[in-house]
Amino acid sequence: MIGNVRRRVALGMIGSGSIVGTLGPFSHSAGAASPTAVTPGAPPRGKAGPAAMKQSAAMRRAYADGPYGQIHYLDAGTGRPLVMLHQAVMTANQFDYVFAPLIARGLRPIAIDMPGFGLSDRTPFEPAVSDYAAVVPAVLDALGISRAAVVGHHTGALVTNEVAIRYPERVSANILCGPLFISDEQRAVLIADIGGRERAFRALPHAAHMNLLAEARERYANGSISAERISDYVVQAMLAVQRGAYWYGHNAGLNYRQEEALMKITQPTLLLTNTGDMLYASALQARKMRPDFAFTELEGGGIDIVDQQPGPWSAAIADFLAAAVD
């Protein structure tokens, strides 16, 4: 009974906007999700985005030696370097549909599978956000890059914040897509609810666990993402399950206190948000805390804004970096 009450409270705080919810897409494997607005300029309903924007041969796969083992990443090879950090429980392939438009604007996407996700080795311990941040310098060293801009989405935004303050000499600019500010009471409820369910997540007969994830993502997308792409999301999540790290990302994010960390950032920074994102209120709070940061707001969308509006999302980043002082 207590568990059910905690779950209802967590879902209610997220749905009402009094808490700007979770850090990624798989936290609610059951229960209704808020509808996703689809706005002009977004891909047609039922479509993830133009097929031409999906990952192409321009992105090469590679590994770097990191502090916890091998780090897998995708690299465009030429252009101004832009490190890309995904949300939990996805992988570098979260950014499949924005690689092409970013490359077209002269950028070099370098999308990293964070430890325990995708094809990167997991940490041998329960990681904190700071532990995820440590892989970024390792990848830059492997590529011979001294400084790069860094963009992170949801969990990745928290890691981006930590990279900026722990390795300031390696970061030329930041793009934060989904900061997180919650009270201690909300934090405790969410850790118990989300953390408990993610730790208990197990394979079920007939792959029913995969169906549950697909259904949750379909509710969040509300018809804006194709069945093929929803399948991609589930495959990405299963890689974290396979590595025993499924609960690591949200656990690290929910235990991260960004209020002080945000104030320590010294590089040019863009807050990139969308009005349909569950973390939209946190982005507005971050704007008040750091009025010196650039701010771009896309209309509508949801947690899948990278797929729903790949063109506007990429353009916002490219325009900011073109104007930012390196």
Side-chain angles (χ1 to χ4, degrees):
M1 177 68 177
I2 293 175
N4 290 335
V5 170
R6 283 177 175 168
R7 175 170 167 72
R8 287 197 296 271
V9 170
L11 290 173
M13 286 190 295
I14 292 168
S16 68
S18 60
I19 174 174
V20 240
T22 65
L23 308 179
F26 292 103
S27 299
H28 300 10
S29 56
S34 300
T36 299
V38 181
T39 60
R45 292 181 65 84
K47 303 293 183 182
M53 288 186 175
K54 196 169 183 181
Q55 179 191 331
S56 69
M59 299 298 294
R60 295 182 59 84
R61 301 183 181 279
Y63 286 89
D65 291 326
Y68 323 112
Q70 289 187 304
I71 309 164
H72 177 257
Y73 62 92
L74 305 173
D75 178 23
T78 60
R80 179 176 181 174
L82 174 65
V83 171
M84 308 187 76
L85 302 174
H86 60 83
Q87 64 182 344
V89 292
M90 298 183 76
T91 74
N93 292 109
Q94 176 189 355
F95 301 110
D96 278 348
Y97 288 163
V98 296
F99 291 144
L102 290 171
I103 292 169
R105 291 291 301 271
L107 297 174
R108 175 184 179 177
I110 302 166
I112 298 174
D113 284 344
M114 290 194 288
F117 298 96
L119 301 178
S120 290
D121 291 335
R122 58 176 280 182
T123 60
F125 52 82
E126 179 182 317
V129 167
S130 58
D131 298 312
Y132 290 135
V135 305
V136 172
V139 171
L140 293 179
D141 287 345
L143 293 171
I145 297 172
S146 59
R147 300 179 76 210
V150 184
V151 57
H153 187 252
H154 283 211
T155 317
L158 308 185
V159 179
T160 297
N161 195 147
E162 197 67 9
V163 173
I165 63 179
R166 284 182 175 265
Y167 312 101
E169 73 284 355
R170 309 305 299 269
V171 178
S172 61
N174 308 289
I175 301 95
L176 304 179
C177 307
L180 179 72
F181 304 112
I182 53 178
S183 70
D184 288 342
E185 179 184 6
Q186 293 165 341
R187 190 184 311 276
V189 170
L190 288 169
I191 289 173
D193 174 56
I194 296 168
R197 283 182 290 116
E198 289 192 340
R199 287 173 188 258
F201 187 86
R202 296 290 185 275
L204 297 174
H206 310 296
H209 59 296
M210 298 173 72
N211 290 332
L212 289 173
L213 293 183
E215 290 168 1
R217 292 312 306 267
E218 287 171 348
R219 286 195 297 272
Y220 276 114
N222 193 30
S224 65
I225 303 295
S226 70
E228 179 185 23
R229 188 60 167 160
I230 293 290
S231 179
D232 286 347
Y233 295 164
V234 175
V235 170
Q236 291 179 52
M238 289 302 101
L239 290 172
V241 173
Q242 181 186 52
R243 296 182 181 280
Y246 184 72
W247 57 274
Y248 276 10
H250 289 136
N251 180 72
L254 288 170
N255 279 286
Y256 187 68
R257 298 176 184 273
Q258 197 175 11
E259 291 81 358
E260 291 186 12
L262 189 77
M263 303 309 294
K264 294 179 181 178
I265 293 177
T266 59
Q267 304 91 347
T269 298
L270 169 66
L271 297 168
L272 176 55
T273 187
N274 56 288
T275 59
D277 188 19
M278 61 173 60
L279 301 183
Y280 176 62
S282 275
L284 297 181
Q285 183 176 340
R287 186 184 191 184
K288 291 180 179 178
M289 295 170 65
R290 293 299 302 260
D292 55 315
F293 286 177
F295 183 86
T296 297
E297 176 183 287
L298 303 178
E299 185 67 27
I303 61 173
D304 300 312
I305 190 65
V306 176
D307 284 346
Q308 291 162 331
Q309 298 186 37
W313 193 86
S314 301
I317 293 172
D319 291 344
F320 164 71
L321 292 177
V325 177
D326 195 337

